[in-house]
Amino acid sequence: MADRRLGPVASTGPDPHPDTDAAAGLDRVLTAPNAITLVRLLCLPIFVWILFGAHRQHPAAWLLAALGATDWIDGFVARRWHQVSTLGKVLDPVADRLLLGTAVISIIVYGAVPLWFGLVTIAREVLVAGCTLVLATLGARRIDVLWVGKAGTFGLMSAYPAFLWSAGTAASDPARVFAWVAGVGGLTLAWVAAFSYVAPARRALAEGRAARGRVDDTVVGA
């Protein structure tokens, strides 16, 4: 006869509800990657104040460069310590867009980058943001960021601090040469990425509508 004082026996088999546990993990808000992304966002008004309030061109360029260079950290922490979350998947690209948009507009106003270059950069960001909003409204599933888009953003976030740093110097200044090389390369990749999202966007819209249709059928048949 079994001894009932032993209580329930611990299961040594696989987790019977792995999908539930994974979903619970994705719903987390207070994670280290999300905190890193939030800190980067909070640095944006500091950058604007340093540039226009304190009139410190070079410190502002250094801060902007640091914010761009740390773009990979939150994603690395999320994957390395298994802290990927739904909020993080949304917050990270939003932070990238806000960071780049703030940098571009501020540096255009400061006069450190040609107007046409800044406007082409902004036009790409507005196009991607607008399409993302429309797709979400139509019920498309979330689209993962393409590596070419990340590479383009990295190139631009390397170029704009260099443009700011080299403002007022000769065209042959090494920082200004680097700004043009990184900027043209980054802008080219950014636009390539924008058009590369067309096929994934169609699939995401079709899959999102199909999933919503299955849910509606389940509700009606319940």
Side-chain angles (χ1 to χ4, degrees):
M1 181 178 295
D3 189 346
R4 296 182 180 178
R5 292 174 299 175
L6 295 178
V9 178
S11 173
T12 58
D15 187 348
H17 305 292
D19 294 338
T20 303
D21 293 342
L26 288 175
D27 289 339
R28 289 177 297 182
V29 174
L30 300 177
T31 65
N34 290 348
I36 293 171
T37 303
L38 181 60
V39 169
R40 294 177 68 236
L41 285 173
L42 292 176
C43 286
L44 288 179
I46 298 175
F47 160 74
V48 174
W49 177 82
I50 293 175
L51 184 59
F52 295 108
H55 305 288
R56 303 291 301 275
Q57 169 188 342
H58 290 163
W62 275 116
L63 177 57
L64 184 60
L67 292 175
T70 55
D71 172 52
W72 60 275
I73 291 181
D74 45 7
F76 171 79
V77 172
R79 291 185 296 271
R80 177 64 178 80
W81 282 277
H82 307 290
Q83 295 188 6
V84 176
S85 65
T86 301
L87 176 62
K89 291 179 180 181
V90 175
L91 191 60
D92 184 38
V94 168
D96 290 344
R97 302 281 77 77
L98 287 175
L99 180 59
L100 184 58
T102 301
V104 174
I105 294 173
S106 298
I107 295 175
I108 287 176
V109 173
Y110 194 79
V113 68
L115 180 60
W116 69 266
F117 190 88
L119 291 180
V120 173
T121 305
I122 292 175
R124 188 266 180 188
E125 297 305 310
V126 170
L127 174 64
V128 172
C131 290
T132 301
L133 182 60
V134 170
L135 286 170
T137 303
L138 294 176
R141 65 167 177 80
R142 194 186 65 84
I143 304 174
D144 291 330
V145 178
L146 300 177
W147 72 267
V148 67
K150 278 287 189 180
T153 299
F154 180 78
L156 290 171
M157 287 308 303
S158 299
Y160 275 93
F163 275 122
L164 182 56
W165 177 274
S166 62
T169 63
S172 59
D173 181 80
R176 197 156 190 81
V177 172
F178 170 80
W180 277 111
V181 172
V184 171
L187 192 57
T188 301
L189 290 176
W191 276 101
V192 168
F195 290 106
S196 298
Y197 279 114
V198 173
R202 289 176 177 174
R203 289 195 299 270
L205 182 57
E207 292 172 4
R209 286 179 169 177
R212 186 171 59 183
R214 287 193 296 270
V215 171
D216 292 341
D217 291 341
T218 302
V219 172
V220 171

